[in-house]
Amino acid sequence: MKFDEELKKEKNPAVIRIGNYLKKRAETDSSVKNNLQKENKSLKECWDYVLGEVAKTMYRNGKFGCVAGDDEDLYALAVHYYDEDEIKIEPLPSDMKVEARMDEEKKDEKAVETEPKELPKKEKVKRIKKSIKEPAEGQISLF
């Protein structure tokens, strides 16, 4: 299945976001454009690869924890998946719960969760203005 067709059929907002990034990048980068047309690659398999690579960073002391990063990290993994022909995708452990949220740059895209849960409300942080002290006599200011 061609990349564009697969992207149109996709329902997972996180996968759609990665697919849209790859499509936009392909407009300016011919190597990405060519890689998206590879017959042995798929957007679903790309997502599985990204999740597997993220899962590797979550594993600590025999248990899975949580991991945070920015969208660029996920995009880089997706580009890497399409670049390399010999990537092996390892299945995720059956006891692992996956929750994927991407930055809220686009309000029309919703977070994807395997288990819905209420997020804690953020508390407002008071900003304390520090007074600027003049440097001691004879001391050079770096600012």
Side-chain angles (χ1 to χ4, degrees):
M1 181 182 305
K2 292 196 176 226
F3 180 83
D4 290 330
E5 293 171 9
E6 190 176 5
L7 181 57
K8 285 178 186 177
K9 292 180 181 180
E10 185 56 54
K11 302 284 188 229
N12 183 332
V15 177
I16 293 169
R17 184 110 176 248
I18 288 173
N20 286 335
Y21 167 82
L22 291 168
K23 189 174 178 179
K24 187 174 181 179
R25 176 129 178 225
E27 292 172 4
T28 59
D29 187 338
S30 61
S31 66
V32 172
K33 184 177 183 176
N34 293 334
N35 288 340
L36 293 180
Q37 302 308 317
K38 290 181 179 178
E39 293 293 323
N40 62 333
K41 300 290 182 173
S42 74
L43 192 54
K44 183 194 178 323
E45 193 176 78
C46 175
W47 177 244
D48 291 343
Y49 171 74
V50 169
L51 284 181
E53 292 302 302
V54 170
K56 289 177 187 176
T57 65
M58 294 172 35
Y59 196 69
R60 301 276 190 278
N61 300 324
K63 295 184 180 181
F64 283 97
C66 62
V67 66
D70 60 19
D71 292 356
E72 294 303 316
D73 296 332
L74 300 179
Y75 297 149
L77 287 169
V79 170
H80 179 71
Y81 163 79
Y82 278 98
D83 278 342
E84 300 296 324
D85 291 327
E86 301 300 320
I87 284 184
K88 293 182 182 174
I89 295 162
E90 300 173 23
L92 294 174
S94 60
D95 62 340
M96 183 177 156
K97 295 176 186 173
V98 176
E99 181 180 303
R101 284 190 214 123
M102 299 186 80
D103 292 340
E104 294 185 26
E105 291 174 0
K106 297 180 182 178
K107 299 292 182 188
D108 58 327
E109 294 178 6
K110 296 179 182 176
V112 175
E113 298 182 4
T114 56
E115 289 187 11
K117 53 178 127 173
E118 192 172 310
L119 297 174
K121 292 184 180 179
K122 292 184 178 180
E123 295 180 18
K124 289 189 176 183
V125 177
K126 283 188 177 180
R127 295 190 180 250
I128 300 172
K129 199 172 193 178
K130 293 183 178 181
S131 62
I132 300 172
K133 296 181 181 179
E134 293 296 320
E137 191 174 315
Q139 184 177 5
I140 299 173
S141 174
L142 298 175
F143 303 102

PDB file of all heavy atoms in Angstrom, residues 26-59:
ATOM      1  N   ALA A  26       9.004  15.281   3.016  1.00  0.00           N
ATOM      2  CA  ALA A  26       9.265  14.722   1.685  1.00  0.00           C
ATOM      3  C   ALA A  26       9.156  15.790   0.593  1.00  0.00           C
ATOM      4  O   ALA A  26       9.771  15.659  -0.463  1.00  0.00           O
ATOM      5  CB  ALA A  26       8.295  13.574   1.398  1.00  0.00           C
ATOM      6  N   GLU A  27       8.399  16.848   0.862  1.00  0.00           N
ATOM      7  CA  GLU A  27       8.259  17.934  -0.110  1.00  0.00           C
ATOM      8  C   GLU A  27       9.581  18.666  -0.337  1.00  0.00           C
ATOM      9  O   GLU A  27       9.806  19.209  -1.412  1.00  0.00           O
ATOM     10  CB  GLU A  27       7.190  18.928   0.353  1.00  0.00           C
ATOM     11  CG  GLU A  27       5.791  18.357   0.346  1.00  0.00           C
ATOM     12  CD  GLU A  27       4.775  19.282   0.987  1.00  0.00           C
ATOM     13  OE1 GLU A  27       5.130  20.426   1.376  1.00  0.00           O
ATOM     14  OE2 GLU A  27       3.605  18.858   1.103  1.00  0.00           O
ATOM     15  N   THR A  28      10.444  18.683   0.675  1.00  0.00           N
ATOM     16  CA  THR A  28      11.713  19.419   0.565  1.00  0.00           C
ATOM     17  C   THR A  28      12.936  18.514   0.569  1.00  0.00           C
ATOM     18  O   THR A  28      14.032  18.980   0.313  1.00  0.00           O
ATOM     19  CB  THR A  28      11.846  20.431   1.724  1.00  0.00           C
ATOM     20  OG1 THR A  28      11.782  19.727   2.962  1.00  0.00           O
ATOM     21  CG2 THR A  28      10.760  21.483   1.657  1.00  0.00           C
ATOM     22  N   ASP A  29      12.747  17.240   0.886  1.00  0.00           N
ATOM     23  CA  ASP A  29      13.880  16.310   0.982  1.00  0.00           C
ATOM     24  C   ASP A  29      13.601  15.105   0.079  1.00  0.00           C
ATOM     25  O   ASP A  29      12.768  14.258   0.395  1.00  0.00           O
ATOM     26  CB  ASP A  29      14.047  15.871   2.442  1.00  0.00           C
ATOM     27  CG  ASP A  29      15.293  15.049   2.685  1.00  0.00           C
ATOM     28  OD1 ASP A  29      15.824  14.453   1.727  1.00  0.00           O
ATOM     29  OD2 ASP A  29      15.723  14.983   3.849  1.00  0.00           O
ATOM     30  N   SER A  30      14.317  15.038  -1.027  1.00  0.00           N
ATOM     31  CA  SER A  30      14.056  13.978  -2.003  1.00  0.00           C
ATOM     32  C   SER A  30      14.385  12.585  -1.463  1.00  0.00           C
ATOM     33  O   SER A  30      13.754  11.609  -1.856  1.00  0.00           O
ATOM     34  CB  SER A  30      14.835  14.232  -3.290  1.00  0.00           C
ATOM     35  OG  SER A  30      16.223  14.243  -3.036  1.00  0.00           O
ATOM     36  N   SER A  31      15.349  12.479  -0.544  1.00  0.00           N
ATOM     37  CA  SER A  31      15.661  11.152   0.008  1.00  0.00           C
ATOM     38  C   SER A  31      14.494  10.626   0.845  1.00  0.00           C
ATOM     39  O   SER A  31      14.172   9.438   0.794  1.00  0.00           O
ATOM     40  CB  SER A  31      16.957  11.175   0.824  1.00  0.00           C
ATOM     41  OG  SER A  31      16.810  11.960   1.982  1.00  0.00           O
ATOM     42  N   VAL A  32      13.853  11.504   1.606  1.00  0.00           N
ATOM     43  CA  VAL A  32      12.675  11.093   2.386  1.00  0.00           C
ATOM     44  C   VAL A  32      11.545  10.726   1.432  1.00  0.00           C
ATOM     45  O   VAL A  32      10.863   9.721   1.630  1.00  0.00           O
ATOM     46  CB  VAL A  32      12.245  12.197   3.380  1.00  0.00           C
ATOM     47  CG1 VAL A  32      10.921  11.850   4.048  1.00  0.00           C
ATOM     48  CG2 VAL A  32      13.313  12.428   4.433  1.00  0.00           C
ATOM     49  N   LYS A  33      11.367  11.510   0.391  1.00  0.00           N
ATOM     50  CA  LYS A  33      10.311  11.227  -0.591  1.00  0.00           C
ATOM     51  C   LYS A  33      10.507   9.842  -1.200  1.00  0.00           C
ATOM     52  O   LYS A  33       9.554   9.063  -1.307  1.00  0.00           O
ATOM     53  CB  LYS A  33      10.333  12.292  -1.684  1.00  0.00           C
ATOM     54  CG  LYS A  33       9.232  12.144  -2.699  1.00  0.00           C
ATOM     55  CD  LYS A  33       9.271  13.269  -3.704  1.00  0.00           C
ATOM     56  CE  LYS A  33       8.118  13.139  -4.682  1.00  0.00           C
ATOM     57  NZ  LYS A  33       8.074  14.266  -5.623  1.00  0.00           N
ATOM     58  N   ASN A  34      11.742   9.519  -1.575  1.00  0.00           N
ATOM     59  CA  ASN A  34      12.029   8.201  -2.144  1.00  0.00           C
ATOM     60  C   ASN A  34      11.830   7.093  -1.125  1.00  0.00           C
ATOM     61  O   ASN A  34      11.312   6.024  -1.448  1.00  0.00           O
ATOM     62  CB  ASN A  34      13.454   8.151  -2.689  1.00  0.00           C
ATOM     63  CG  ASN A  34      13.639   9.061  -3.884  1.00  0.00           C
ATOM     64  OD1 ASN A  34      12.698   9.361  -4.598  1.00  0.00           O
ATOM     65  ND2 ASN A  34      14.858   9.516  -4.096  1.00  0.00           N
ATOM     66  N   ASN A  35      12.229   7.341   0.127  1.00  0.00           N
ATOM     67  CA  ASN A  35      12.104   6.323   1.170  1.00  0.00           C
ATOM     68  C   ASN A  35      10.646   6.004   1.490  1.00  0.00           C
ATOM     69  O   ASN A  35      10.319   4.866   1.832  1.00  0.00           O
ATOM     70  CB  ASN A  35      12.835   6.761   2.441  1.00  0.00           C
ATOM     71  CG  ASN A  35      14.333   6.701   2.288  1.00  0.00           C
ATOM     72  OD1 ASN A  35      14.864   6.013   1.417  1.00  0.00           O
ATOM     73  ND2 ASN A  35      15.030   7.425   3.136  1.00  0.00           N
ATOM     74  N   LEU A  36       9.779   6.983   1.391  1.00  0.00           N
ATOM     75  CA  LEU A  36       8.354   6.754   1.677  1.00  0.00           C
ATOM     76  C   LEU A  36       7.708   5.838   0.642  1.00  0.00           C
ATOM     77  O   LEU A  36       6.658   5.263   0.901  1.00  0.00           O
ATOM     78  CB  LEU A  36       7.592   8.081   1.748  1.00  0.00           C
ATOM     79  CG  LEU A  36       7.946   8.999   2.908  1.00  0.00           C
ATOM     80  CD1 LEU A  36       7.109  10.269   2.853  1.00  0.00           C
ATOM     81  CD2 LEU A  36       7.782   8.312   4.248  1.00  0.00           C
ATOM     82  N   GLN A  37       8.327   5.684  -0.502  1.00  0.00           N
ATOM     83  CA  GLN A  37       7.778   4.839  -1.565  1.00  0.00           C
ATOM     84  C   GLN A  37       8.284   3.398  -1.512  1.00  0.00           C
ATOM     85  O   GLN A  37       7.902   2.579  -2.337  1.00  0.00           O
ATOM     86  CB  GLN A  37       8.106   5.451  -2.932  1.00  0.00           C
ATOM     87  CG  GLN A  37       7.585   6.863  -3.110  1.00  0.00           C
ATOM     88  CD  GLN A  37       6.108   7.016  -2.784  1.00  0.00           C
ATOM     89  OE1 GLN A  37       5.283   6.194  -3.162  1.00  0.00           O
ATOM     90  NE2 GLN A  37       5.769   8.073  -2.066  1.00  0.00           N
ATOM     91  N   LYS A  38       9.138   3.087  -0.539  1.00  0.00           N
ATOM     92  CA  LYS A  38       9.671   1.727  -0.436  1.00  0.00           C
ATOM     93  C   LYS A  38       8.534   0.733  -0.195  1.00  0.00           C
ATOM     94  O   LYS A  38       7.676   0.950   0.662  1.00  0.00           O
ATOM     95  CB  LYS A  38      10.687   1.627   0.705  1.00  0.00           C
ATOM     96  CG  LYS A  38      11.979   2.364   0.430  1.00  0.00           C
ATOM     97  CD  LYS A  38      12.943   2.200   1.590  1.00  0.00           C
ATOM     98  CE  LYS A  38      14.263   2.897   1.335  1.00  0.00           C
ATOM     99  NZ  LYS A  38      15.171   2.771   2.480  1.00  0.00           N
ATOM    100  N   GLU A  39       8.566  -0.348  -0.940  1.00  0.00           N
ATOM    101  CA  GLU A  39       7.519  -1.372  -0.854  1.00  0.00           C
ATOM    102  C   GLU A  39       7.531  -2.129   0.479  1.00  0.00           C
ATOM    103  O   GLU A  39       6.501  -2.580   0.950  1.00  0.00           O
ATOM    104  CB  GLU A  39       7.655  -2.373  -2.010  1.00  0.00           C
ATOM    105  CG  GLU A  39       7.376  -1.767  -3.367  1.00  0.00           C
ATOM    106  CD  GLU A  39       5.923  -1.353  -3.537  1.00  0.00           C
ATOM    107  OE1 GLU A  39       5.034  -2.061  -3.028  1.00  0.00           O
ATOM    108  OE2 GLU A  39       5.695  -0.310  -4.178  1.00  0.00           O
ATOM    109  N   ASN A  40       8.719  -2.270   1.080  1.00  0.00           N
ATOM    110  CA  ASN A  40       8.838  -3.061   2.311  1.00  0.00           C
ATOM    111  C   ASN A  40       8.585  -2.236   3.573  1.00  0.00           C
ATOM    112  O   ASN A  40       8.798  -2.724   4.678  1.00  0.00           O
ATOM    113  CB  ASN A  40      10.219  -3.710   2.384  1.00  0.00           C
ATOM    114  CG  ASN A  40      11.344  -2.692   2.429  1.00  0.00           C
ATOM    115  OD1 ASN A  40      11.204  -1.577   1.939  1.00  0.00           O
ATOM    116  ND2 ASN A  40      12.469  -3.072   3.012  1.00  0.00           N
ATOM    117  N   LYS A  41       8.117  -1.002   3.431  1.00  0.00           N
ATOM    118  CA  LYS A  41       7.878  -0.129   4.579  1.00  0.00           C
ATOM    119  C   LYS A  41       6.401   0.221   4.676  1.00  0.00           C
ATOM    120  O   LYS A  41       5.696   0.298   3.673  1.00  0.00           O
ATOM    121  CB  LYS A  41       8.684   1.176   4.447  1.00  0.00           C
ATOM    122  CG  LYS A  41      10.184   0.981   4.371  1.00  0.00           C
ATOM    123  CD  LYS A  41      10.716   0.530   5.702  1.00  0.00           C
ATOM    124  CE  LYS A  41      12.234   0.382   5.650  1.00  0.00           C
ATOM    125  NZ  LYS A  41      12.786   0.102   6.959  1.00  0.00           N
ATOM    126  N   SER A  42       5.939   0.434   5.919  1.00  0.00           N
ATOM    127  CA  SER A  42       4.554   0.865   6.115  1.00  0.00           C
ATOM    128  C   SER A  42       4.498   1.821   7.300  1.00  0.00           C
ATOM    129  O   SER A  42       5.346   1.787   8.197  1.00  0.00           O
ATOM    130  CB  SER A  42       3.635  -0.331   6.374  1.00  0.00           C
ATOM    131  OG  SER A  42       3.822  -0.840   7.672  1.00  0.00           O
ATOM    132  N   LEU A  43       3.492   2.666   7.294  1.00  0.00           N
ATOM    133  CA  LEU A  43       3.321   3.638   8.376  1.00  0.00           C
ATOM    134  C   LEU A  43       3.017   2.933   9.694  1.00  0.00           C
ATOM    135  O   LEU A  43       3.503   3.336  10.743  1.00  0.00           O
ATOM    136  CB  LEU A  43       2.211   4.624   8.001  1.00  0.00           C
ATOM    137  CG  LEU A  43       2.062   5.875   8.850  1.00  0.00           C
ATOM    138  CD1 LEU A  43       3.375   6.647   8.941  1.00  0.00           C
ATOM    139  CD2 LEU A  43       0.973   6.760   8.287  1.00  0.00           C
ATOM    140  N   LYS A  44       2.245   1.855   9.649  1.00  0.00           N
ATOM    141  CA  LYS A  44       1.939   1.112  10.877  1.00  0.00           C
ATOM    142  C   LYS A  44       3.209   0.494  11.450  1.00  0.00           C
ATOM    143  O   LYS A  44       3.452   0.548  12.649  1.00  0.00           O
ATOM    144  CB  LYS A  44       0.898   0.023  10.615  1.00  0.00           C
ATOM    145  CG  LYS A  44       0.539  -0.697  11.912  1.00  0.00           C
ATOM    146  CD  LYS A  44      -0.200  -1.980  11.692  1.00  0.00           C
ATOM    147  CE  LYS A  44      -0.516  -2.708  12.954  1.00  0.00           C
ATOM    148  NZ  LYS A  44       0.465  -2.681  14.012  1.00  0.00           N
ATOM    149  N   GLU A  45       4.014  -0.086  10.575  1.00  0.00           N
ATOM    150  CA  GLU A  45       5.268  -0.681  11.038  1.00  0.00           C
ATOM    151  C   GLU A  45       6.217   0.404  11.557  1.00  0.00           C
ATOM    152  O   GLU A  45       6.935   0.185  12.526  1.00  0.00           O
ATOM    153  CB  GLU A  45       5.916  -1.465   9.899  1.00  0.00           C
ATOM    154  CG  GLU A  45       7.048  -2.355  10.369  1.00  0.00           C
ATOM    155  CD  GLU A  45       7.614  -3.206   9.262  1.00  0.00           C
ATOM    156  OE1 GLU A  45       8.387  -2.673   8.444  1.00  0.00           O
ATOM    157  OE2 GLU A  45       7.275  -4.404   9.218  1.00  0.00           O
ATOM    158  N   CYS A  46       6.171   1.575  10.950  1.00  0.00           N
ATOM    159  CA  CYS A  46       6.968   2.711  11.415  1.00  0.00           C
ATOM    160  C   CYS A  46       6.573   3.058  12.853  1.00  0.00           C
ATOM    161  O   CYS A  46       7.423   3.247  13.722  1.00  0.00           O
ATOM    162  CB  CYS A  46       6.756   3.912  10.502  1.00  0.00           C
ATOM    163  SG  CYS A  46       7.569   5.425  11.049  1.00  0.00           S
ATOM    164  N   TRP A  47       5.266   3.117  13.115  1.00  0.00           N
ATOM    165  CA  TRP A  47       4.773   3.420  14.463  1.00  0.00           C
ATOM    166  C   TRP A  47       5.212   2.346  15.456  1.00  0.00           C
ATOM    167  O   TRP A  47       5.640   2.653  16.564  1.00  0.00           O
ATOM    168  CB  TRP A  47       3.255   3.552  14.437  1.00  0.00           C
ATOM    169  CG  TRP A  47       2.626   3.793  15.773  1.00  0.00           C
ATOM    170  CD1 TRP A  47       1.767   2.965  16.418  1.00  0.00           C
ATOM    171  CD2 TRP A  47       2.798   4.931  16.623  1.00  0.00           C
ATOM    172  NE1 TRP A  47       1.389   3.519  17.616  1.00  0.00           N
ATOM    173  CE2 TRP A  47       2.013   4.725  17.771  1.00  0.00           C
ATOM    174  CE3 TRP A  47       3.542   6.093  16.530  1.00  0.00           C
ATOM    175  CZ2 TRP A  47       1.946   5.643  18.814  1.00  0.00           C
ATOM    176  CZ3 TRP A  47       3.482   7.014  17.567  1.00  0.00           C
ATOM    177  CH2 TRP A  47       2.692   6.781  18.701  1.00  0.00           C
ATOM    178  N   ASP A  48       5.143   1.084  15.044  1.00  0.00           N
ATOM    179  CA  ASP A  48       5.595  -0.006  15.912  1.00  0.00           C
ATOM    180  C   ASP A  48       7.088   0.141  16.229  1.00  0.00           C
ATOM    181  O   ASP A  48       7.518  -0.100  17.350  1.00  0.00           O
ATOM    182  CB  ASP A  48       5.329  -1.362  15.266  1.00  0.00           C
ATOM    183  CG  ASP A  48       3.851  -1.695  15.194  1.00  0.00           C
ATOM    184  OD1 ASP A  48       3.045  -1.065  15.917  1.00  0.00           O
ATOM    185  OD2 ASP A  48       3.487  -2.588  14.398  1.00  0.00           O
ATOM    186  N   TYR A  49       7.861   0.545  15.237  1.00  0.00           N
ATOM    187  CA  TYR A  49       9.300   0.755  15.440  1.00  0.00           C
ATOM    188  C   TYR A  49       9.535   1.898  16.429  1.00  0.00           C
ATOM    189  O   TYR A  49      10.327   1.770  17.361  1.00  0.00           O
ATOM    190  CB  TYR A  49       9.992   1.068  14.105  1.00  0.00           C
ATOM    191  CG  TYR A  49      11.423   1.496  14.277  1.00  0.00           C
ATOM    192  CD1 TYR A  49      12.410   0.572  14.611  1.00  0.00           C
ATOM    193  CD2 TYR A  49      11.795   2.830  14.141  1.00  0.00           C
ATOM    194  CE1 TYR A  49      13.724   0.965  14.796  1.00  0.00           C
ATOM    195  CE2 TYR A  49      13.102   3.223  14.311  1.00  0.00           C
ATOM    196  CZ  TYR A  49      14.062   2.291  14.644  1.00  0.00           C
ATOM    197  OH  TYR A  49      15.369   2.687  14.841  1.00  0.00           O
ATOM    198  N   VAL A  50       8.830   3.001  16.242  1.00  0.00           N
ATOM    199  CA  VAL A  50       8.985   4.158  17.140  1.00  0.00           C
ATOM    200  C   VAL A  50       8.631   3.757  18.571  1.00  0.00           C
ATOM    201  O   VAL A  50       9.369   4.051  19.512  1.00  0.00           O
ATOM    202  CB  VAL A  50       8.127   5.351  16.660  1.00  0.00           C
ATOM    203  CG1 VAL A  50       8.065   6.443  17.701  1.00  0.00           C
ATOM    204  CG2 VAL A  50       8.673   5.907  15.342  1.00  0.00           C
ATOM    205  N   LEU A  51       7.506   3.069  18.746  1.00  0.00           N
ATOM    206  CA  LEU A  51       7.103   2.634  20.089  1.00  0.00           C
ATOM    207  C   LEU A  51       8.140   1.693  20.701  1.00  0.00           C
ATOM    208  O   LEU A  51       8.452   1.791  21.888  1.00  0.00           O
ATOM    209  CB  LEU A  51       5.747   1.928  20.045  1.00  0.00           C
ATOM    210  CG  LEU A  51       4.527   2.811  19.883  1.00  0.00           C
ATOM    211  CD1 LEU A  51       3.264   1.966  19.874  1.00  0.00           C
ATOM    212  CD2 LEU A  51       4.446   3.856  20.965  1.00  0.00           C
ATOM    213  N   GLY A  52       8.665   0.784  19.896  1.00  0.00           N
ATOM    214  CA  GLY A  52       9.673  -0.154  20.398  1.00  0.00           C
ATOM    215  C   GLY A  52      10.940   0.550  20.841  1.00  0.00           C
ATOM    216  O   GLY A  52      11.522   0.210  21.880  1.00  0.00           O
ATOM    217  N   GLU A  53      11.373   1.548  20.081  1.00  0.00           N
ATOM    218  CA  GLU A  53      12.574   2.293  20.441  1.00  0.00           C
ATOM    219  C   GLU A  53      12.351   3.124  21.705  1.00  0.00           C
ATOM    220  O   GLU A  53      13.224   3.209  22.565  1.00  0.00           O
ATOM    221  CB  GLU A  53      13.025   3.200  19.287  1.00  0.00           C
ATOM    222  CG  GLU A  53      13.533   2.440  18.091  1.00  0.00           C
ATOM    223  CD  GLU A  53      14.706   1.534  18.423  1.00  0.00           C
ATOM    224  OE1 GLU A  53      15.735   2.034  18.908  1.00  0.00           O
ATOM    225  OE2 GLU A  53      14.593   0.304  18.213  1.00  0.00           O
ATOM    226  N   VAL A  54      11.176   3.699  21.835  1.00  0.00           N
ATOM    227  CA  VAL A  54      10.848   4.456  23.042  1.00  0.00           C
ATOM    228  C   VAL A  54      10.766   3.511  24.236  1.00  0.00           C
ATOM    229  O   VAL A  54      11.243   3.828  25.334  1.00  0.00           O
ATOM    230  CB  VAL A  54       9.537   5.248  22.853  1.00  0.00           C
ATOM    231  CG1 VAL A  54       9.055   5.848  24.169  1.00  0.00           C
ATOM    232  CG2 VAL A  54       9.729   6.345  21.809  1.00  0.00           C
ATOM    233  N   ALA A  55      10.198   2.325  24.024  1.00  0.00           N
ATOM    234  CA  ALA A  55      10.073   1.345  25.113  1.00  0.00           C
ATOM    235  C   ALA A  55      11.441   0.950  25.653  1.00  0.00           C
ATOM    236  O   ALA A  55      11.598   0.729  26.853  1.00  0.00           O
ATOM    237  CB  ALA A  55       9.319   0.107  24.637  1.00  0.00           C
ATOM    238  N   LYS A  56      12.427   0.868  24.777  1.00  0.00           N
ATOM    239  CA  LYS A  56      13.777   0.519  25.229  1.00  0.00           C
ATOM    240  C   LYS A  56      14.310   1.534  26.228  1.00  0.00           C
ATOM    241  O   LYS A  56      15.040   1.179  27.146  1.00  0.00           O
ATOM    242  CB  LYS A  56      14.733   0.434  24.039  1.00  0.00           C
ATOM    243  CG  LYS A  56      14.497  -0.757  23.153  1.00  0.00           C
ATOM    244  CD  LYS A  56      15.444  -0.721  21.966  1.00  0.00           C
ATOM    245  CE  LYS A  56      15.121  -1.810  20.969  1.00  0.00           C
ATOM    246  NZ  LYS A  56      15.965  -1.721  19.767  1.00  0.00           N
ATOM    247  N   THR A  57      13.942   2.796  26.074  1.00  0.00           N
ATOM    248  CA  THR A  57      14.416   3.824  27.004  1.00  0.00           C
ATOM    249  C   THR A  57      13.610   3.828  28.305  1.00  0.00           C
ATOM    250  O   THR A  57      14.036   4.418  29.292  1.00  0.00           O
ATOM    251  CB  THR A  57      14.342   5.224  26.368  1.00  0.00           C
ATOM    252  OG1 THR A  57      12.981   5.562  26.119  1.00  0.00           O
ATOM    253  CG2 THR A  57      15.154   5.296  25.102  1.00  0.00           C
ATOM    254  N   MET A  58      12.454   3.169  28.299  1.00  0.00           N
ATOM    255  CA  MET A  58      11.602   3.135  29.487  1.00  0.00           C
ATOM    256  C   MET A  58      11.952   2.008  30.451  1.00  0.00           C
ATOM    257  O   MET A  58      11.534   2.031  31.593  1.00  0.00           O
ATOM    258  CB  MET A  58      10.133   2.961  29.064  1.00  0.00           C
ATOM    259  CG  MET A  58       9.579   4.126  28.311  1.00  0.00           C
ATOM    260  SD  MET A  58       7.931   3.853  27.612  1.00  0.00           S
ATOM    261  CE  MET A  58       7.098   2.842  28.773  1.00  0.00           C
ATOM    262  N   TYR A  59      12.678   1.030  29.994  1.00  0.00           N
ATOM    263  CA  TYR A  59      12.919  -0.171  30.783  1.00  0.00           C
ATOM    264  C   TYR A  59      14.037   0.072  31.799  1.00  0.00           C
ATOM    265  O   TYR A  59      15.165   0.350  31.431  1.00  0.00           O
ATOM    266  CB  TYR A  59      13.284  -1.323  29.849  1.00  0.00           C
ATOM    267  CG  TYR A  59      13.180  -2.676  30.492  1.00  0.00           C
ATOM    268  CD1 TYR A  59      11.953  -3.209  30.828  1.00  0.00           C
ATOM    269  CD2 TYR A  59      14.313  -3.425  30.757  1.00  0.00           C
ATOM    270  CE1 TYR A  59      11.845  -4.463  31.412  1.00  0.00           C
ATOM    271  CE2 TYR A  59      14.221  -4.674  31.340  1.00  0.00           C
ATOM    272  CZ  TYR A  59      12.989  -5.185  31.664  1.00  0.00           C
ATOM    273  OH  TYR A  59      12.895  -6.414  32.241  1.00  0.00           O
TER     274      TYR A  59
END
